[in-house]
Amino acid sequence: MICAGRHHLVRTLTDLAAQQGIRLQTYLNTARHKAPGHPAPISSTGARTLLYDAEQTDAYLTGRPVPPLRTEDDDQDHDDDDLLDRREAAHALGVTPRSWDTYKGHPLLTEHMVTAAGVEHWPRGIVHRYRDTRPGRSAATGRPTGSGDQVPRDQLLTRTAPLLDADPATTATAVVQQLGVTRNTAQAALTRLRADRIADLMGEQPELSPQDAAVALSYPTALARRATVRAEAVLRARHAAPYLADVAHALHRAGWTTTEAAPAVQHPADDHVVAVLLLDADHAPAPALVWDERHGWRTATSRRHPLTRGAVLPPQGDGIRHLATGTTPPPTALIAALSA
């Protein structure tokens, strides 16, 4: 299992051999990955391709304590964004891996399949959704399949916050039971609340790491991993807020927006910060602008859906232009690029 938010940390034996400056065959002959204390694979038992977590292997190689990770066998609350390999997905359905090879052709599963180091994986929540909606099957646990959230979206955080206040170790399952929302909704709310509170504490005590702040707030490590990643993004977003406000003011002065309000930042992934500015005035040079902390500014072709799925950077052309240079060009440079 690849824990939610750790896809980018997946390493193969080839990667580990290269990191240590030796050929793969030499690495296998010396069985370095089987040495006492070496982190266990995060791939399922019997998997043909062994996968490892880079944070764990880096800690091992530098003599630091190896941080623990959740596993499929833990009793802790799992995350819908955990990635399951073929054997784990089959186990979740109660079928054999060979049967899974047939089921994985379903459109729901093919659409959400993720490749990690060349190995097919599927989000836990998608596997469960498929399991619960298969013909002749009803939802095994939780709320009835297809039922909507019982809490309006704008009330979700305020309704979830008291549950987290009462029990810092509360789980998505507990929130589902208390509020009647879906598990994905509950998990997202808890992650946002924990991340914001971790970021607040780090703002008050800059010497704290996200992990230290989570411990100080009594958040269990296994339940706060995504929140610690998101907390760092929240802090970066707060740091970027004055710059985004300056850009919004400049665009309004140029006559391209009807308001100079700064855009709200978004986190399409927990470790990613983007913002959208709608150019809603007459004669604006584009429907909207998108700022991405990794790539800077670009135009968008739609005010309603300015972001691509996962905020992936689209190629230039068909109304998409990458503007100015750097991730935080001066507002004047952005205006000039739009006017060109």
Side-chain angles (χ1 to χ4, degrees):
M1 176 186 75
I2 302 172
C3 292
R6 302 184 74 82
H7 182 190
H8 63 294
L9 295 173
V10 173
R11 300 291 183 270
T12 64
L13 289 177
T14 300
D15 296 326
L16 299 185
Q19 182 179 13
Q20 297 175 56
I22 61 177
R23 296 174 57 190
L24 175 60
Q25 193 57 54
T26 302
Y27 187 89
L28 295 175
N29 290 342
T30 55
R32 297 192 182 190
H33 58 299
K34 298 181 181 179
H38 192 282
I42 58 175
S43 44
S44 60
T45 302
R48 280 180 275 184
T49 301
L50 296 182
L51 303 179
Y52 294 82
D53 182 270
E55 185 181 6
Q56 286 194 319
T57 54
D58 288 351
Y60 169 78
L61 292 172
T62 55
R64 294 178 287 115
V66 175
L69 296 178
R70 286 185 292 111
T71 70
E72 273 295 270
D73 296 328
D74 288 342
D75 292 331
Q76 301 157 341
D77 198 42
H78 286 302
D79 194 302
D80 281 350
D81 289 335
D82 291 337
L83 296 176
L84 307 183
D85 66 16
R86 169 177 176 264
R87 293 174 181 271
E88 292 160 340
H91 179 74
L93 259 63
V95 301
T96 66
R98 186 178 296 275
S99 294
W100 173 260
D101 291 340
T102 300
Y103 296 144
K104 73 177 186 180
H106 188 279
L108 175 65
L109 298 173
T110 56
E111 177 185 358
H112 291 89
M113 190 269 288
V114 176
T115 301
V119 179
E120 294 178 345
H121 286 76
W122 295 264
R124 181 190 303 280
I126 296 300
V127 174
H128 286 179
R129 190 193 308 176
Y130 173 74
R131 175 198 65 192
D132 295 342
T133 56
R134 287 168 58 199
R137 298 290 297 272
S138 59
T141 59
R143 303 171 62 255
T145 300
S147 59
D149 290 331
Q150 303 302 304
V151 176
R153 186 175 296 274
D154 61 352
Q155 298 178 23
L156 179 63
L157 295 182
T158 57
R159 295 280 298 276
T160 306
L163 302 179
L164 186 60
D165 292 336
D167 179 11
T170 194
T171 65
T173 300
V175 174
V176 169
Q177 294 171 346
Q178 290 288 324
L179 301 184
V181 296
T182 65
R183 195 175 185 286
N184 278 346
T185 298
Q187 185 63 61
L190 287 173
T191 297
R192 286 187 59 183
L193 287 169
R194 286 188 171 116
D196 287 347
R197 293 176 181 185
I198 290 170
D200 289 343
L201 186 56
M202 291 174 66
E204 297 169 4
Q205 302 180 44
E207 71 278 8
L208 293 180
S209 69
Q211 292 74 22
D212 292 337
V215 170
L217 292 167
S218 300
Y219 297 155
T221 300
L223 299 182
R225 293 191 189 281
R226 284 181 62 189
T228 56
V229 172
R230 185 183 177 99
E232 293 184 294
V234 168
L235 289 174
R236 296 197 304 275
R238 292 176 183 178
H239 180 74
Y243 167 71
L244 295 173
D246 288 344
V247 170
H249 183 61
L251 292 171
H252 184 64
R253 287 203 315 266
W256 294 336
T257 64
T258 57
T259 175
E260 59 181 330
V265 296
Q266 302 180 45
H267 301 281
D270 292 323
D271 61 347
H272 188 188
V273 182
V274 300
V276 173
L277 268 166
L278 301 182
L279 305 186
D280 55 353
D282 293 339
H283 311 301
L289 298 182
V290 173
W291 178 77
D292 186 309
E293 64 174 343
R294 302 169 302 179
H295 309 297
W297 292 94
R298 68 168 176 84
T299 59
T301 57
S302 168
R303 291 192 182 102
R304 187 170 185 179
H305 301 291
L307 288 177
T308 56
R309 183 174 180 179
V312 173
L313 181 66
Q316 294 203 84
D318 296 326
I320 302 295
R321 286 195 294 150
H322 301 165
L323 302 170
T325 58
T327 56
T328 54
T332 53
L334 187 61
I335 296 293
L338 278 167
S339 301

